[in-house]
Amino acid sequence: MPTGHATGGTGPARSRERFLQGEPVEVGVRTSILSSWQRSRSLGLSPDQADLPFRNDFDRDARIVRAAVPVLDRLQAMFAGSKMNLSVADASGTVLLRRFGEASLARSLPAFQRVPGFVFAERVAGTNGIGLALAERQLIQVHGAEHFAERSQRSACRALPVRDPLSGRIEGVLCFGYPSSAEDPGLAITIRKAARAIERRLLGQSSARERALLRAYLDTGAAASVGLHHTMGVDELALELHPHDRAVLTEKAAELISRGQRAAAVVSLLDGRRVTLVSRPMRSGSGVEGVAIEAVLPGPALREPLAVPTPVDAPPGLSGRLAVATAVRPPRFVPATEAPERLSVAALSRHLPDIAYGPFGTVGRGGVADDHPDAPPRTRGLVMVGEPRVGTYALAARRRLELLSEASARIGTTLDVRRTAQELAETAVPRLADFVTIDLPEAVLRGEESADPRTDLHRTVVHGIRDDLPFSPVGKQVDFGPTTPQIRCLTSGQAVLEPDLKAAAGWLAQDPEHTERLLTQVHSLIAVPLVARGVILGIASFYRAQDPAPFGDDDRSLGLELANRAALSIDNARRYTRERTMVLTLQRSLLPHDLPDQDAVEIAHRYLPAESDVGGDWYDVIPLSGTRIGLFVGDVVGHGMLSAATMGQLRTAARSFAELDFPPDEVLTHLDNLVGRLDREEPAAGTGVIGATCLYAIYDPTSQQCTMARAGHPPPALVRPDGTVSFPDLPAGPPLGLGGLPFETAEIPLPEGSRLLLYTDGLIEDRHRDVDVVLDQLRGALAHPEHTPEQTCQTVLETVAPAHPCDDIALLVVRTHALDPHRIAAWDLPVDPARVSEVRAAALRQLADWGLDEAAFAAELMLSELVTNAIRHGAGPIQVRLLHGRTLICEVSDASNTAPHLRRAASTDEGGRGLFLVAQLAQSWGTRYLPEGKVIWAECGLDAA
């Protein structure tokens, strides 16, 4: 989003003007700023408001003040000579401290703003750094016209909440203010480091017991008692430490405290250095027992102390757990010549290390508290002090909270059963367990409920810190004995803890060969049932290998909590899988399974459901009279069961209309009426069918012509025998269901060997892809005239279809054939009954040439009746045509639109029996209408003949 200067009427300045005038502002303004503007306006604030509230009753000795004063002093020295103003406000937005890089800056402010006490809360000052940081509870930047008040338009600021490290409560806000022209992204780093320094000083004030421990440590001459010659202090190393190293050192120090005894641990840093942490039990004068952790770096004695970071992220509610004391090397202050108005924060931030303050200020050489910047550095390396029991609980609680928080974000990101189970395992390793196996019934993987999960478990996930342990592989059925922890947890519905697997008889008897090998690696187990909404979904088994301590009750509770959360996600995925399987089964059952045998075209087809849901895409191939073939492809709007059911109705109706030999435009008209009626019949709850699209093509192999019409559907792709690819420009037509608008047809010649690709919009339309680019890809995939329809289908899906389709894809590929002209015979007749015998004779000769003597009798009778009817009841000209394909087809056409009707003649009737004879002799018969006239046809099966 643009955050330019508040000048020229552009960027945020223009957006602010539009907002104040009541115009909509959708783009150009960050969400947090726009939300603050809206809150400011709802509070009735005015942009030209000049005065801010001022308070005299604020606490001048508040915890945040005591913690922030030394940090602000150092910041002021760093920014000396620059136009930076520094503020610390309390949790209500009242400014408690002010510092300026230049003294002249204070004189430019109103008198009441030069001293602490004025309020910058959003409710009274509008959008500003301090107020917005309190509202958003995160690091905030406000630049120029993003300020709500006009008085702040020329300035920019960054503000960050300062929290109590133990409770997590916001104690105040640290704010950097500067001219808009002095913006520097590095200020974000500097303000974060300064806020952490204040938070560490807050931590040092948190506990009288810890202060007593710290005083006892300082009074004992700790360096001598450690018994090592080279110790490590607190500032130098922190400048170089990677965040991962800081976390490792902090966690290891907390672990040493929790053990409550003299010990040492070597921590390897990412850069190859090794730091030794030494723990020393101690007792304060008031009887408080605790442990001090010191850091030792081997090598020559250092003139300046090194640094070890301190923890600031203990879990909320665990107050008074840890205290931190460190030695601080005074930072090198930046001369005014090095801090021009344009702040060079990249250079300035080097002079503000991760300062860690003890509760008594900077620790001097003799253990005396000393905040003087010129105090000589000490050589002791205190990292942390604390009480063992409290430290143990605090460390464990923090880890559990972090793991549960992570589980909430990591488990259940998809609606796939296997992936959700894998996410559970990945979350638990290595934070809770070293290895995790998850076993689910085959029925659950299909989306169903298992009748007896104890006898139908399949290994679904195996995950751990290594891959060489002999767990049953994924996919294998696992049979647990009745005494194993896994079956016991299924029976009881509770997590089962086996702290010592060597003593777990039931587990040992399960698979002696594998368990003997496993026992050399794993030593403790928690088996947890995966149960959600009363349904047993499977078992999660957590194994511990590297940690020598066995699982405990707290670990069991944690494992059960993780499993319960995962089970809900697995059950949601199972239910989704079941619903999707049902809809997909319905969808596939409504699509054609076996395409009809015919000679007009070669056909290949595909249906690819969407990843998220099943839609209403469909296709069909329908043999028509005269060796013609009808080709359908369509798409019902929407997804789910309703769309699939509607698709089935449309396909059935489309097949019926096509078999009545309606032309494509009339078929679409009938389907349009049907969709409109279905929509009206749906309840008014918003579940009605909105519409559908469809394309219908009829290919005639005798003329090699294809007649098409479409209703809002993408046009087909046509591949000529020479490999040329085109997209015929068919009349678009409205989608089905709109009603009232006509459809048009187009006739396209298709030489033998042409390929026609009919598809739904899911193939080419995707919000992440450009349609023109996709069509170019489709051209490339089709430009292979040597490919069969099956090869074309596969190539199109591999190269054109999206990797993760959001919509269904129906694909129909046909390659055309032409009916051999030698298998077509036609005669034109005048309207003369005397010529009927000539036609019969000519037809018999043609049948003899084709070797169809056995069909001659039936064909002669049918032709005689059809021609006689055309002469008596029709109009000229009359044409007779014989088609020799898989069957023998007799066609008689005339210029009349009057169609014959089959009826049962009475015994006294002289006529009415001819059409009955045709129906008895023919395999099928019917009428199709032409633009002028009709065709009466009868089909005779050659086998039957």
Side-chain angles (χ1 to χ4, degrees):
M1 299 298 181
T3 56
H5 305 309
T7 58
T10 61
R14 174 58 184 152
S15 298
R16 179 175 173 275
E17 292 175 7
R18 293 178 57 197
F19 174 81
L20 293 176
Q21 293 171 5
E23 298 178 15
V25 180
E26 290 85 11
V27 296
V29 181
R30 288 176 290 150
T31 302
S32 59
I33 298 296
L34 182 58
S35 299
S36 180
W37 286 355
Q38 294 169 343
R39 291 192 298 266
S40 299
R41 184 167 58 182
S42 67
L43 291 169
L45 301 179
S46 173
D48 57 1
Q49 180 180 351
D51 296 330
L52 292 173
F54 184 85
R55 293 177 52 192
N56 276 319
D57 57 344
F58 67 92
D59 185 1
R60 288 172 169 78
D61 193 37
R63 295 179 65 230
I64 186 69
V65 173
R66 298 197 307 272
V69 165
V71 179
L72 281 193
D73 289 342
R74 287 165 175 76
L75 287 172
Q76 184 179 26
M78 287 173 52
F79 293 113
S82 68
K83 294 187 177 180
M84 174 71 73
N85 68 85
L86 310 165
S87 304
V88 172
D90 63 15
S92 66
T94 302
V95 174
L96 307 179
L97 297 171
R98 289 301 295 269
R99 297 288 191 274
F100 300 93
E102 288 182 358
S104 60
L105 288 176
R107 294 192 294 270
S108 65
L109 295 175
F112 76 97
Q113 289 192 30
R114 300 174 191 171
V115 294
F118 65 91
V119 181
F120 251 125
E122 187 184 74
R123 67 181 184 277
V124 295
T127 306
N128 68 89
I130 292 175
L132 192 53
L134 289 172
E136 296 287 336
R137 307 178 71 83
Q138 61 181 339
L139 177 62
I140 288 294
Q141 177 193 9
V142 183
H143 193 286
E146 291 179 333
H147 288 90
F148 187 77
E150 294 178 356
R151 61 173 174 271
S152 302
Q153 299 293 294
R154 296 183 179 273
S155 64
C157 63
R158 290 179 185 265
L160 179 65
V162 177
R163 301 175 184 270
D164 184 321
L166 297 179
S167 68
R169 183 179 63 250
I170 293 178
E171 292 287 330
V173 176
L174 174 63
C175 181
F176 289 179
Y178 45 90
S180 294
S181 59
E183 176 59 46
D184 192 315
L187 281 172
I189 300 174
T190 304
I191 196 170
R192 287 186 187 276
K193 296 172 78 171
R196 284 199 297 268
I198 297 174
E199 289 174 345
R200 281 191 287 270
R201 289 185 58 84
L202 287 171
L203 184 64
Q205 303 172 15
S206 62
S207 170
R209 296 173 64 88
E210 291 155 355
R211 287 198 294 272
L213 286 174
L214 181 60
R215 174 60 66 185
Y217 173 83
L218 297 176
D219 290 342
T220 57
S225 64
V226 173
L228 297 172
H229 298 292
H230 308 303
T231 61
M232 186 176 68
V234 186
D235 191 39
E236 190 75 20
L237 186 59
L239 294 175
E240 308 169 8
L241 276 181
H242 188 277
H244 173 267
D245 290 337
R246 300 178 187 181
V248 170
L249 286 172
T250 299
E251 186 166 342
K252 183 57 67 176
E255 289 179 2
L256 291 175
I257 289 178
S258 67
R259 296 177 185 177
Q261 60 187 6
R262 184 180 297 275
V266 177
V267 179
S268 297
L269 305 183
L270 293 178
D271 59 6
R273 286 179 292 176
R274 296 161 67 86
V275 176
T276 301
L277 297 181
V278 179
S279 64
R280 181 166 60 87
M282 55 183 297
R283 179 191 295 269
S284 71
S286 59
V288 178
E289 295 184 353
V291 176
I293 306 298
E294 295 169 303
V296 181
L297 183 67
L302 301 172
R303 294 186 177 181
E304 292 187 359
L306 300 177
V308 175
T310 55
V312 294
D313 55 349
L318 301 173
S319 58
R321 298 298 190 259
L322 303 172
V324 178
T326 60
V328 177
R329 174 172 55 85
R332 181 176 70 85
F333 298 139
V334 182
T337 57
E338 295 183 31
E341 178 177 335
R342 177 70 177 178
L343 303 178
S344 178
V345 179
L348 294 177
S349 62
R350 291 198 297 269
H351 310 302
L352 185 67
D354 284 324
I355 306 170
Y357 297 89
F360 307 102
T362 305
V363 181
R365 184 178 294 272
V368 180
D370 189 357
D371 275 328
H372 194 279
D374 294 328
R378 61 175 300 186
T379 57
R380 293 177 183 172
L382 178 64
V383 177
M384 187 183 299
V385 295
E387 298 177 75
R389 185 184 62 177
V390 175
T392 301
Y393 294 155
L395 185 64
R398 182 177 69 182
R399 289 176 175 174
R400 287 195 294 270
L401 288 172
E402 290 174 350
L403 183 56
L404 290 175
S405 176
E406 182 179 339
S408 299
R410 292 188 60 182
I411 299 176
T413 59
T414 68
L415 287 173
D416 181 84
V417 174
R418 287 182 173 85
R419 180 57 197 157
T420 303
Q422 182 70 30
E423 289 169 346
L424 168 60
E426 292 173 352
T427 302
V429 174
R431 307 278 288 280
L432 172 63
D434 296 314
F435 298 93
V436 175
T437 63
I438 298 178
D439 306 308
L440 302 176
E442 188 68 26
V444 171
L445 297 175
R446 295 193 304 265
E448 305 168 3
E449 294 184 9
S450 177
D452 187 1
R454 293 175 294 183
T455 60
D456 185 32
L457 289 172
H458 288 73
R459 183 58 46 87
T460 306
V461 173
V462 176
H463 183 70
I465 56 177
R466 298 196 313 275
D467 299 328
D468 58 348
L469 292 193
F471 290 108
S472 297
V474 172
K476 181 180 179 181
Q477 183 170 355
V478 289
D479 297 318
F480 293 109
T483 60
T484 58
Q486 286 82 359
I487 294 300
R488 283 156 47 203
C489 80
L490 285 182
T491 303
S492 64
Q494 299 294 324
V496 174
L497 170 64
E498 289 289 357
D500 185 4
L501 285 177
K502 293 182 179 180
W507 185 80
L508 291 171
Q510 170 65 25
D511 189 346
E513 179 183 357
H514 285 174
T515 53
E516 183 177 353
R517 295 177 57 191
L518 281 173
L519 280 177
T520 63
Q521 303 290 337
V522 300
H523 59 80
S524 192
L525 165 68
I526 299 174
V528 185
L530 297 171
V531 182
R533 304 180 179 95
V535 178
I536 298 177
L537 303 174
I539 303 170
S541 301
F542 303 93
Y543 295 88
R544 179 165 287 179
Q546 287 191 332
D547 191 341
F551 285 124
D553 289 330
D554 288 342
D555 298 313
R556 177 173 56 184
S557 300
L558 179 58
L560 183 60
E561 178 66 22
L562 287 176
N564 288 339
R565 297 189 182 200
L568 285 174
S569 297
I570 291 175
D571 191 49
N572 290 337
R574 178 190 66 83
R575 292 168 181 264
Y576 168 78
T577 301
R578 180 185 61 188
E579 296 295 332
R580 188 174 188 273
T581 301
M582 291 173 55
V583 177
L584 187 58
T585 301
L586 173 63
Q587 167 82 346
R588 293 192 183 279
S589 69
L590 295 175
L591 292 174
H593 298 284
D594 298 319
L595 297 182
D597 294 330
Q598 43 77 41
D599 296 324
V601 292
E602 291 179 55
I603 301 174
H605 56 90
R606 295 288 190 278
Y607 170 72
L608 185 65
E611 279 195 349
S612 59
D613 207 348
V614 178
D617 291 16
W618 59 282
Y619 59 88
D620 207 349
V621 178
I622 305 171
L624 302 176
S625 64
T627 70
R628 298 172 307 143
I629 195 76
L631 306 171
F632 274 106
V633 65
D635 183 3
V636 176
V637 174
H639 294 85
M641 187 74 74
L642 178 62
S643 295
T646 304
M647 177 274 288
Q649 292 177 289
L650 279 184
R651 177 176 171 251
T652 301
R655 173 175 282 272
S656 300
F657 296 142
E659 289 178 342
L660 290 174
D661 268 329
F662 291 145
D665 55 337
E666 292 189 25
V667 170
L668 295 183
T669 299
H670 288 297
L671 291 178
D672 180 60
N673 294 333
L674 173 63
V675 172
R677 184 167 63 254
L678 291 175
D679 198 12
R680 291 190 297 271
E681 290 174 356
E682 289 294 331
T687 59
V689 179
I690 299 175
T693 66
C694 183
L695 186 149
Y696 180 38
I698 298 177
Y699 172 68
D700 189 345
T702 64
S703 63
Q704 300 177 45
Q705 296 288 323
C706 186
T707 305
M708 305 183 196
R710 64 187 179 117
H713 201 82
L718 173 61
V719 186
R720 300 287 180 180
D722 60 359
T724 304
V725 181
S726 63
F727 297 91
D729 186 16
L730 304 182
L736 300 177
L738 296 183
L741 296 175
F743 300 96
E744 300 180 51
T745 60
E747 193 168 280
I748 300 173
L750 294 184
E752 185 173 12
S754 299
R755 281 177 297 157
L756 195 64
L757 177 73
L758 283 66
Y759 54 89
T760 54
D761 57 4
L763 178 67
I764 61 173
E765 295 182 6
D766 186 87
R767 60 178 177 269
H768 303 297
R769 305 189 299 169
D770 184 83
V771 174
D772 293 333
V773 174
V774 176
L775 291 178
D776 289 339
Q777 293 175 345
L778 184 57
R779 283 190 178 93
L782 295 176
H784 298 280
E786 74 281 3
H787 282 183
T788 64
E790 283 291 338
Q791 291 174 326
T792 300
C793 265
Q794 193 63 29
T795 301
V796 168
L797 290 181
E798 290 176 354
T799 60
V800 181
H804 304 283
C806 300
D807 195 6
D808 291 20
I809 298 174
L811 192 62
L812 193 64
V813 180
V814 300
R815 181 160 62 186
T816 63
H817 296 296
L819 186 62
D820 188 345
H822 295 94
R823 289 175 170 260
I824 304 174
W827 301 273
D828 293 324
L829 297 179
V831 184
D832 183 0
R835 302 295 295 274
V836 175
S837 60
E838 298 179 9
V839 173
R840 289 202 303 266
L844 290 175
R845 289 193 298 271
Q846 184 63 62
L847 293 177
D849 292 342
W850 286 341
L852 300 180
D853 294 329
E854 295 182 358
F857 176 75
E860 181 182 12
L861 285 178
M862 289 189 295
L863 276 178
S864 178
E865 180 60 32
L866 294 179
V867 171
T868 301
N869 281 343
I871 293 174
R872 293 181 60 184
H873 304 292
I878 298 174
Q879 185 184 61
V880 177
R881 189 170 71 159
L882 296 180
L883 303 177
H884 178 200
R886 291 175 177 264
T887 60
L888 177 64
I889 300 174
C890 304
E891 295 183 346
V892 177
S893 62
D894 65 79
S896 171
N897 289 326
T898 303
H901 296 281
L902 180 66
R903 65 184 180 89
R904 181 178 295 276
S907 59
T908 57
D909 291 342
E910 295 183 2
R913 296 177 178 84
L915 200 58
F916 177 78
L917 290 176
V918 171
Q920 296 299 310
L921 294 172
Q923 182 174 292
S924 60
W925 72 278
T927 304
R928 74 172 180 269
Y929 290 92
L930 304 175
E932 295 182 359
K934 66 179 182 298
V935 176
I936 309 298
W937 57 271
E939 183 175 345
C940 179
L942 299 181
D943 293 338

